[in-house]
């Protein structure tokens, strides 16, 4: 049974899930708004890139700042600002003054704020649950997130029958207010260890310390490279779901929402299985081989043009991709000292997210010249090969490093 710690974990759990439910409405509506206005896979890729670019620009600074400040207050402030940014879209649309560039800009600003919230939130989990329950907690949290994300798109698809697309984002704005209120009610500190063993005089010194820690640890370094390569080769699959659903599968708006929801339902189910699977299989197997199987199923999706055949394949494929994520997140939380955790989390996301815009834009250019199914299939094959390559890496043998105490071996000196 997960330790509730005076209910604070469950307040955190509930608030984050409600926020994700609101974000599912935005994730459904924004690509459709852009696709309806432009009909271009390149414009969709630009929106995808705008949402990832802040990791390259602000990621390292954001992680260092999350380690220096009160993480709970940081999450509350970020949620309030994110709600205001999202609410600006329906407000401008109602006034007839919503430009295309602002849709890209809101993705950029929201992502920048999300870097701070994600770094603080991921670093907060070890403060809210015991160490031995971290994998279970991450699995439940991600399952709750993805269940909310699965419910959102079909509801949003139905709502388009009575509401303008832009108005759906009001649900997201309200969800941020609820999340901020629940965070404010939490009494447990999100900062188990506010100051590292030698102090941290400057942000620049903080960043350098975090980079050295990650790069000197074989498992963390391997995990960062693994994420970077997969995002470079696989980002196009996420960036062009609208194009794949519309042009390859002939989906309606409701069916597109159903496809997104099926993927999130698969993630939710897989997240609940992460804890039990960890008891039976080593981290390396779950991190590498399940991802290889997921990418094989990406190829299977590309080979069909029947929506109802693709739907269950997409569900299983998307569900499998989350098991390596949960394992790698849990590995970081077990290995890294609390005072470094925000920086390590964001550094890994910087590596992963900085390659994603490149892959998305290159993939979109290929789709414009060839076919979305061909590009999806190529992405699946290349990502599968990357996973097989990393089976022999330190990530593929992570349990050996943990068993020999390697989690404490990497230096964090400045």
């Amino acid at each position: 049974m997960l330790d509730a710690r005076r209910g604070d974990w469950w307040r955190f759990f509930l608030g984050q899930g409600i926020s994700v439910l609101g974000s599912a409405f935005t994730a459904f509506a924004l690509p459709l708004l852009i696709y309806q206005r432009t009909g271009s896979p390149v414009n969709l890729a630009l929106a995808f890139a705008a949402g990832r670019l802040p990791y390259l620009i602000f990621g390292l600074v954001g992680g260092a700042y999350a380690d220096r400040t009160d993480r709970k207050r940081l999450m509350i402030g970020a949620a309030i600002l994110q709600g205001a940014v999202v609410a600006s879209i329906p407000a401008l649309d109602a006034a007839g003054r919503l430009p295309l560039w602002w849709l890209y800009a809101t993705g950029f600003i929201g992502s920048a704020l999300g870097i701070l919230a994600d770094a603080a939130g991921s670093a907060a989990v070890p403060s809210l649950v015991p160490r031995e329950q971290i994998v279970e907690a991450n699995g439940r949290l991600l399952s709750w997130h993805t269940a909310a994300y699965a419910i959102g798109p079909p509801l949003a698809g139905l709502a388009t029958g009575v509401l303008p697309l832009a108005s759906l984002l009001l649900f997201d704005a309200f969800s941020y207010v609820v999340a901020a209120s629940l965070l404010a009610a939490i009494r447990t500190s999100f900062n188990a260890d506010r100051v590292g063993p030698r102090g941290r005089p400057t942000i620049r010194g903080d960043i350098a310390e975090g980079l050295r820690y990650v790069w000197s640890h074989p498992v963390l370094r391997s995990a960062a490279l693994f994420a970077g390569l997969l995002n470079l080769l696989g980002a196009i699959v996420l960036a062009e779901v609208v194009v794949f659903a519309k042009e390859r599968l002939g989906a309606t708006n409701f069916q597109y929402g159903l496809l997104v929801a099926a993927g999130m339902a698969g993630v939710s189910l897989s997240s609940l299985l992460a804890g039990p699977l960890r008891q039976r299989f080593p981290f390396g197997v779950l991190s590498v081989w399940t991802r290889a199987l997921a990418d094989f199923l990406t190829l299977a999706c590309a080979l069909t043009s029947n929506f109802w055949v693709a739907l269950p394949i997409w569900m299983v494929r998307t569900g499998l991709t989350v098991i390596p994520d949960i394992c790698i997140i849990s590995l970081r939380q077990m290995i890294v000292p609390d005072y470094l955790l925000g920086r390590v989390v964001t550094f890994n996301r910087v590596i992963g997210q900085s390659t994603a815009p490149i892959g998305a834009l290159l993939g979109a250019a290929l789709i414009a010249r060839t076919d979305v199914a061909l590009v999806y299939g190529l992405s699946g094959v290349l990502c599968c090969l990357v996973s097989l390559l990393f089976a022999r890496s330190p990530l593929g043998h992570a349990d050996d490093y943990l068993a020999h105490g390697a989690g404490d071996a990497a230096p964090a000196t400045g």
Side-chain angles (χ1 to χ4, degrees), residues 73-292:
R73 290 183 180 178
L74 180 62
M75 291 184 72
I76 292 170
I80 293 171
L81 290 173
Q82 284 174 303
V85 169
V86 168
S88 70
I89 293 177
L92 288 171
D93 184 66
R97 296 178 177 273
L98 178 61
L100 181 63
W101 66 265
W102 184 242
L103 298 179
Y104 301 146
T106 53
F108 181 90
I109 297 168
S111 180
L113 292 168
I115 289 170
L116 297 172
D118 290 346
S122 184
V125 171
S127 299
L128 294 169
V129 299
R131 174 185 170 89
E132 63 273 12
Q133 295 178 346
I134 285 176
V135 174
E136 182 185 358
N138 284 322
R140 288 195 180 190
L141 189 61
L142 191 51
S143 177
W144 171 223
H145 284 188
T146 52
Y149 226 100
I151 295 168
L155 291 177
L158 290 173
T160 57
V162 294
L163 293 173
L165 266 177
S167 297
L168 299 182
L169 276 70
L170 291 172
F171 291 95
D172 194 11
F174 178 71
S175 75
Y176 280 119
V177 175
V178 175
S181 301
L182 286 167
L183 285 169
I186 294 175
R187 292 169 290 178
T188 301
S189 172
F190 290 0
N191 300 74
D193 181 6
R194 290 295 305 275
V195 181
R198 296 194 178 185
R200 304 192 302 277
T202 66
I203 288 284
R204 183 177 178 181
D206 286 359
I207 293 172
E209 184 182 24
L211 292 176
R212 280 194 297 270
Y213 188 92
V214 172
W215 207 249
S216 64
H217 197 292
V219 175
L220 298 177
R221 181 175 65 244
S222 180
L225 294 173
F226 185 59
L229 283 171
L230 286 178
N231 280 349
L232 175 65
L233 300 171
I236 190 63
V237 176
L238 294 178
E240 303 293 343
V241 176
V242 172
V243 176
F244 180 73
K246 293 286 187 180
E247 297 185 3
R248 177 63 173 174
L249 303 179
T252 64
N253 282 353
F254 176 73
Q255 287 177 325
Y256 162 65
L258 198 60
L259 185 70
V260 175
M264 293 301 100
V267 170
S268 183
L269 292 172
S270 295
S271 301
L272 290 176
L273 292 173
L277 286 173
R278 170 62 189 125
Q279 296 174 8
R280 295 176 60 88
F281 299 101
F283 273 118
V285 170
L286 295 176
S287 298
V288 175
W289 291 100
T290 54
R291 179 62 202 231

Side-chain angles (χ1 to χ4, degrees), residues 390-408:
F390 273 80
R392 300 182 62 85
S393 72
L395 177 61
H397 300 279
D399 290 82
D400 294 340
Y401 287 85
L402 292 177
H404 289 87
D408 300 320

Side-chain angles (χ1 to χ4, degrees), residues 317-330:
R317 174 258 170 213
T318 309
L320 287 173
T321 62
V322 80
I323 294 177
D325 291 344
I326 292 173
C327 288
I328 291 172
I329 289 169
S330 300

Side-chain angles (χ1 to χ4, degrees), residues 244-245 248-252 254-256 258-259 262 301 304-315:
F244 180 73
R248 177 63 173 174
L249 303 179
T252 64
F254 176 73
Q255 287 177 325
Y256 162 65
L258 198 60
L259 185 70
C301 277
T304 181
S305 59
N306 186 297
F307 175 83
W308 299 108
V309 173
L311 188 68
I313 299 174
W314 183 260
M315 177 178 175

